[in-house]
Structures are given as structure tokens and as C-alpha cells.
Amino acid sequence: MIEKLARMAMLYDFYGKLLTVKQQEIMELFYGDDLSLSEIAQEYGISRQAVYDLLKRTEKILEDYEAKLGLVAKFKEQQQRIACIGELTALAQQTANLNYLEKISEIIQELKDLERK
Amino acid sequence: MIEKLARMAMLYDFYGKLLTVKQQEIMELFYGDDLSLSEIAQEYGISRQAVYDLLKRTEKILEDYEAKLGLVAKFKEQQQRIACIGELTALAQQTANLNYLEKISEIIQELKDLERK
């Protein structure tokens, strides 16, 4: 469930602005403010089922954007490599060992290759 | 003009998959294969003006995606910093000077902050 939350948060972060205002509102109430389906239903004066359907449809729209553009996946790969460079830099500083620099160069090259994909 | 080409190439690279097949084709013929408006018009059996309009409309759609999502701008900022880390790493290697590592750490922090924006 946490994984689903994190994924939706990320998809919404990337593609949320492409949703309608209502879709954005429902996503923010459910995923951002942690409101239950019933609470959202009450707020909008619609049925719990209608909120559920709206939410599922919106999640699917976001997943469809990611299936087409793949920017979240690309971003995650980048993030991993940047974290890796961070760790190697810290290690190089702690040990005063320049050999880590070669590995850093390799990862930078990977990052540049990733950009061109 | 080259700047416009580079921008359209990048926007298309990021958001092209959200266009219709016809819009994608026209963009690829004009920007990828360097065909003229007249040549594309001939290929589709439509007027030169119709191709022009289609192209302008498609460019506007891509610009609208960027206005909403800003992923190309974010990507460019990232790219600059990654290139910078590459240069600093090379300098550190050439001079065997570990002081560059501190600057690298700073840029990595900037990259991480950028991700969260």
C-alpha cells in the first residue's frame, strides 16, 4: 500500500497538471490529505462509489501518461545514480582516495546516456 | 532557427508520444527528415497551408505541455549540473586535488533539491 501511495504521489507530481481540476482535487484529498472515500463523497455530495470510480479512472490516466512517456522511470534511474555519486564522493573525501573518481566518471557517463534515451 | 529546432526536438522527445499519429508524422517529416512544407503537402495530398497550420498547432500543443509540466526546463537544469560534475571530476583526477570533491557534493545536493521541486 505504501508502494502504491509513493507511486501515485510520483505520478501525480509528474503528470498531475494534465488532469482536470476535479481530478486533481480528488487526488489531493485522497492521497495528500488522507481523506477516506466516504469523506470525499460527503464533501462533493456524490456517492462513495462515484468517488471510487473517479479515483480509479484518474489513477489510470496517470498510469497511461507514464506508459507513454516513461518519465517517472527515467527519473528514478537518474535519482539512483545521483545518490550513488553522492556516496562515492563522500567515500573519496573520507578516505582521500582518488580512485573513486573513476567510478564517478563512469556513472556520469551513464547519466548522460540516460538523457539521450 | 537552430534554437527553435533544438527546442522542438526536445519538446518532441519529451511529449511527442502524447500527439496523434498524424501530428507525430508531420513533426518527424519536418523536423526529423527536413522535408519542406510543400513536400509534406504533396505526400499527404493536402495544401501547403494545411501542413503549416497542422505544424503550428502541434508545436503549440507541445509548448502547452511544457508550460504545464516544465519537464524540459527541469531536465536542462539537471543536464547542466551533471556536466559540471563531470568537469570537476576530470579536474580532480588531473590535479589529484580532493578539494574539488566538496564542490561536487554541493552540486549533488542541488540535484537532489531539484528533484523535489
Side-chain angles (χ1 to χ4, degrees), chain A residues 2 9 42 72 88 97-99 109:
Chain A
I2 295 223
Q42 209 158 13
V72 170
L88 289 168
N97 185 341
L98 285 165
N99 291 332
Q109 193 51 53

Side-chain angles (χ1 to χ4, degrees), chain A residues 68, chain B residues 12 15-29 40 44 54 58 61:
Chain A
K68 277 187 179 159
Chain B
Y12 184 74
Y15 307 120
K17 297 246 172 67
L18 300 178
L19 300 172
T20 66
V21 173
K22 190 170 184 185
Q23 287 167 340
Q24 288 184 41
E25 279 174 10
I26 301 251
M27 286 295 284
E28 278 175 22
L29 290 173
I40 298 173
Y44 281 88
L54 229 156
T58 305
I61 292 168

Side-chain angles (χ1 to χ4, degrees), chain A residues 11-52:
Chain A
L11 288 176
Y12 184 73
D13 192 38
F14 269 79
Y15 307 120
K17 297 246 173 67
L18 299 179
L19 299 172
T20 65
V21 172
K22 189 170 185 184
Q23 287 166 341
Q24 288 183 42
E25 279 175 9
I26 301 251
M27 286 295 284
E28 278 175 22
L29 291 173
F30 189 75
Y31 285 106
D33 304 340
D34 251 349
L35 259 63
S36 71
L37 294 178
S38 304
E39 287 167 328
I40 299 172
Q42 209 158 13
E43 188 146 324
Y44 281 88
I46 55 178
S47 70
R48 191 184 171 286
Q49 182 64 39
V51 177
Y52 178 81

Side-chain angles (χ1 to χ4, degrees), chain A residues 53-88:
Chain A
D53 292 344
L54 228 155
L55 207 57
K56 287 301 128 186
R57 193 158 64 242
T58 305
E59 287 174 9
K60 174 149 190 335
I61 292 169
L62 292 176
E63 286 288 2
D64 286 349
Y65 278 125
E66 175 61 7
K68 277 187 179 159
L69 305 185
L71 296 171
V72 170
K74 195 173 167 175
F75 168 79
K76 275 178 162 177
E77 274 194 68
Q78 245 174 358
Q79 215 178 15
Q80 271 180 346
R81 285 183 173 79
I82 289 166
C84 207
I85 293 176
E87 283 167 28
L88 289 168

